[in-house]
Amino acid sequence: MVDKLLGKRTAVETNGHLPEAGLITDARAIAATRGTAWQAVQLARDPKRPHAQDVIAGAFDRFQELHGDRLFRDDPAVIGGIAEIDGLYVVVVGQQKGSSTEENIARNFGMPHPEGYRKAIRLYRLAEKFHLPLITLIDTPGAFPGPEAEERGQAEAIARSIEAMTRLATPVVVVVLGEGGSGGALALGVGDVVLALENAVYSVISPEGAAAILFRSNAEAQRAASALRLAGPDLLELGIVDALIPEPPGGAQTDHTATAKAVRAALTSELERLSRVPTADLLSARYERFRAIGVVVEPSAGQAPPKKEPWWRRGIGKVRL
Amino acid sequence: MRLRMPFARGRKEFPSHLWTQCPGCGEMLFNKQLVRNLNVCTSCEHHFRFGGRERIELLVDRGSFEEHDSEMTSADPLVFADSKPYPTRIEAARAKSGEQDAVITGFALIGEVPTAIASMDFDFIGGSMGSVVGEKITRVAERALAERRPLVIVSASGGARMQEGTIALMQMAKIVAALGRLADAGLPFVSVLTDPTTGGVLASYASLGDLIVAEPGALIGFSGARVTDQTIGEKLPTGFQRSEFVLEHGFIDQIVPRAQLRDRLAFFLTAFRPVAHDMRWSL
């Protein structure tokens, strides 16, 4: 893992992920069992899927929830607090969806307001101050797009949250539990290690939104979902996530306990590794991890740029009569 | 030679290649005059959109701009399956805007202060942020750090580029991380918001300036009106998400008319210039 953190990507066998953590680090390993992108989207959105609270209850030994952003109000779409895992204290922040309609209305369908992100930032700072590792759990269709969110600076809150995470001087592990919806998800998504459950999705825009823009029709969402390459194995191939946490057969919604156990195993092994890395190395590796994402084409360095034609060749402009 | 008469009989409208109707006041504006007035309506000061390269010309000291990474272009990392292939869209955008991608970066002098500048071009796929925008801005920020220059980013963007999927999303984190290093080194970053600055661009670097200034009447907001409409079934009130609204709610420092932008930036950058007092005269 340290090798991997420091940017030396090595073969799957030697990249440090302990086999007992059971993580999937090669998309080919699950190529036979993977469904379509649209199936992944539906699994990720399944209301019966374990949400942040279920995972926290199952994966940690103790948890005390903390409330409020100290500025405006407590956002129920973001939960956070201090937890204990294997004798280690950590700060956990997650986006919370509901599993019933009433609960979803109370949780705003897991769509945070600016105060939710500001609560998250407050908890990040708490983790940094007392050098507790930070664990974030992503599960949101996106940041809330309503007028009150705009008034209170949704974009600014997300930007500050991303900024805080890029420089937080403590180990950060990100787990995408279900839906990773655009900037609203990335606000919790900058870490030393980014993991995702096998059927989680992570996307720049919802498949419906993409279909509406690209094909002028919501019905093409399935096509857009596969084009966006938002499913777990795709994210692994693109280097967006470092490893997938296997789900029980049939998906996480079938067995909450087993899912939480898998998350626990992954977290303990990652935290154990990260806790041995000096903070300065951690921060520079985190920088390099995100620095390396992006594909561009550049003309080869040795090649001189094409010379501009001299003005007498370009002509002064055609004389019109 | 036949003169073209804009008001000739039989013509129902003004010829659009010569005249533009101002959406602010309805006035018909002669195009040449509009360009001379920096794309600002002469009667109501409505700010029309302004190109990325013209913006640099407007802001920097004459002849001081030195462009970086001008040849960098987009790849198609997702092999994006669309009604029109992504490389074709890029090609079309290149023809339309005359740029290689949605941002122009480089070094320049602004009011004689050596500065790093990035200017986005809305004509290139809605100024959307993909790998090239991410890489060019990150590089110019890193170079600014290495040479201890302040950074100015002029944003004009609809957000992340859908055709590059999650990779485009991660550019937000990449740029913000680079800006963090700039901030740690005590170097100023001034963010200029122009029409429009929305989505992932506003939700990352554009909102993180030590100073944030906006042009009058620019659309500035996180989510587009269509998304809001679809998600919560509510229409946004008029005047919502405009510069004046954002200023009122405390998220930007100033609204600066286009004609004053250059002098205002020069003032700020000079004020922040990292110079020790006893060295002030030797420079």
Side-chain angles (χ1 to χ4, degrees):
Chain A
M1 195 66 216
V2 175
D3 268 2
K4 199 172 172 204
L5 276 172
L6 298 177
K8 285 178 272 177
R9 287 213 173 214
T10 45
V12 176
E13 299 76 41
T14 58
N15 76 353
H17 283 293
L18 287 182
E20 64 256 33
L23 295 175
I24 304 161
T25 49
D26 187 356
R28 280 167 298 177
I30 50 165
T33 55
R34 75 175 284 194
T36 63
W38 187 244
Q39 282 169 344
V41 171
Q42 284 177 319
L43 278 173
R45 287 177 181 169
D46 193 324
K48 294 280 162 272
R49 195 175 167 83
H51 296 130
Q53 277 182 334
D54 308 309
V55 171
I56 289 172
F60 298 100
D61 304 317
R62 283 191 292 175
F63 176 65
Q64 283 303 323
E65 191 175 350
L66 305 172
H67 292 277
D69 68 344
R70 303 292 189 269
L71 295 164
F72 186 70
R73 66 158 199 155
D74 185 41
D75 188 346
V78 174
I79 59 166
I82 298 172
E84 191 195 336
I85 181 168
D86 248 359
L88 183 70
Y89 289 94
V90 297
V91 170
V92 189
V93 179
Q95 287 151 334
Q96 179 66 36
K97 283 187 184 177
S99 36
S100 62
T101 311
E102 299 80 57
E103 207 190 330
N104 254 325
I105 290 167
R107 297 283 179 190
N108 199 26
F109 298 84
M111 293 186 284
H113 280 74
E115 50 270 26
Y117 293 112
R118 294 189 178 120
K119 170 163 73 172
I121 297 168
R122 180 175 81 84
L123 296 175
Y124 301 163
R125 298 277 177 232
L126 198 71
E128 185 178 45
K129 184 170 179 183
F130 300 106
H131 209 79
L132 304 175
L134 172 68
I135 293 163
T136 60
L137 307 171
I138 294 176
D139 192 11
T140 181
F144 186 62
E148 59 273 45
E150 292 284 341
E151 278 172 1
R152 299 201 285 271
Q154 187 69 284
E156 196 263 359
I158 292 171
R160 292 276 167 222
S161 183
I162 296 171
E163 186 198 26
M165 290 192 95
T166 58
R167 296 197 280 165
L168 203 72
T170 193
V172 182
V173 181
V174 177
V175 185
V176 188
L177 292 181
E179 240 184 323
S182 194
L186 182 65
L188 270 67
V190 186
D192 301 304
V193 179
V194 181
L195 306 172
L197 283 178
E198 200 179 334
N199 289 313
V201 296
Y202 199 172
S203 177
V204 67
I205 185 170
S206 72
E208 290 82 357
I213 297 168
L214 294 175
F215 311 117
R216 307 263 163 219
S217 129
N218 266 3
E220 299 275 11
Q222 304 198 14
R223 207 171 132 199
S226 63
L228 286 166
R229 306 202 53 197
L230 42 64
D234 298 319
L235 300 171
L236 203 54
E237 275 171 10
L238 295 171
I240 305 295
V241 304
D242 299 296
L244 298 177
I245 302 171
E247 291 183 21
Q253 74 284 355
T254 58
D255 192 344
H256 288 197
T257 324
T259 309
K261 231 175 221 165
V263 172
R264 184 191 168 98
L267 288 179
T268 44
S269 81
E270 295 300 340
L271 287 174
E272 207 244 335
R273 229 173 304 283
L274 291 173
S275 64
R276 284 194 245 119
V277 184
T279 307
D281 294 355
L282 212 56
L283 286 172
S284 61
R286 193 184 304 158
Y287 185 86
E288 294 303 332
R289 185 194 182 281
F290 286 88
R291 182 71 186 83
I293 299 176
V295 188
V296 298
V297 183
E298 280 187 286
S300 55
Q303 215 177 321
K307 248 197 179 148
K308 212 174 172 187
E309 290 272 293
W311 63 268
W312 58 86
R313 294 246 173 82
R314 275 183 281 148
I316 326 171
K318 297 211 169 72
V319 183
R320 239 171 284 137
L321 291 169
Chain B
M1 202 159 106
R2 228 186 80 215
L3 277 176
R4 300 181 86 160
M5 295 292 292
F7 307 110
R9 232 184 304 167
R11 240 179 229 285
K12 287 205 182 88
E13 347 173 296
F14 291 83
S16 63
H17 64 288
L18 287 176
W19 297 82
T20 305
Q21 185 171 28
C22 173
C25 59
E27 189 87 8
M28 291 308 293
L29 304 163
F30 190 44
N31 278 350
K32 274 193 180 164
Q33 205 178 358
L34 187 61
V35 169
R36 209 175 306 138
N37 200 35
L38 305 170
N39 273 10
V40 177
C41 173
T42 41
S43 70
C44 74
E45 305 235 320
H46 172 83
H47 282 55
F48 287 85
R49 282 179 188 151
F50 204 51
R53 201 163 285 276
E54 290 85 71
R55 174 76 59 182
I56 287 181
E57 252 167 59
L58 170 75
L59 296 180
V60 307
D61 298 357
R62 186 179 291 258
S64 70
F65 183 60
E66 169 203 324
E67 191 174 352
H68 294 167
D69 307 310
S70 60
E71 307 281 302
M72 195 190 288
T73 55
S74 280
D76 187 8
L78 304 189
V79 197
F80 196 78
D82 187 351
S83 51
K84 201 169 160 198
Y86 180 40
T88 319
R89 270 182 206 269
I90 297 265
E91 209 47 64
R94 222 177 263 161
K96 185 183 168 198
S97 66
E99 300 297 338
Q100 296 296 311
D101 211 287
V103 73
I104 302 155
T105 58
F107 279 180
L109 299 174
I110 295 179
E112 293 175 15
V113 181
T115 306
I117 186 167
S119 172
M120 302 189 75
D121 197 306
F122 189 76
D123 275 345
F124 198 100
I125 321 188
S128 57
M129 168 179 55
S131 296
V132 175
V133 172
E135 185 66 25
K136 280 173 91 167
I137 296 183
T138 307
R139 280 192 197 175
V140 85
E142 286 174 342
R143 287 181 190 135
L145 179 67
E147 299 207 7
R148 294 202 62 82
R149 282 169 182 246
L151 174 67
V152 174
I153 302 181
V154 186
S155 300
S157 171
R161 189 173 295 168
M162 196 177 15
Q163 288 85 351
E164 293 189 27
T166 335
I167 295 177
L169 186 67
M170 295 300 146
Q171 303 308 311
M172 293 165 66
K174 176 162 136 182
I175 297 171
V176 169
L179 294 178
R181 291 195 163 180
L182 215 58
D184 284 341
L187 293 168
F189 161 43
V190 179
S191 175
V192 180
L193 314 181
T194 70
D195 187 54
T197 302
T198 60
V201 167
L202 188 67
S204 58
Y205 56 90
S207 286
L208 295 175
D210 294 305
L211 296 176
I212 308 176
V213 298
E215 286 200 330
L219 178 72
I220 298 167
F222 173 64
S223 50
R226 200 155 44 153
V227 177
T228 308
D229 192 24
Q230 267 184 3
T231 317
I232 60 172
E234 236 177 88
K235 285 259 184 283
L236 292 176
T238 45
F240 206 77
Q241 295 186 329
R242 293 283 158 190
S243 308
E244 294 72 19
F245 171 90
V246 186
L247 179 73
E248 190 189 318
H249 284 89
F251 291 99
I252 58 175
D253 291 288
Q254 283 190 347
I255 294 175
V256 184
R258 191 168 292 159
Q260 296 172 26
L261 196 53
R262 187 193 124 92
D263 289 346
R264 201 64 62 87
L265 284 182
F267 173 81
F268 291 141
L269 294 175
T270 314
F272 288 153
R273 203 172 187 175
V275 177
H277 275 283
D278 53 342
M279 282 174 66
R280 202 158 272 220
W281 297 109
S282 66
L283 279 166

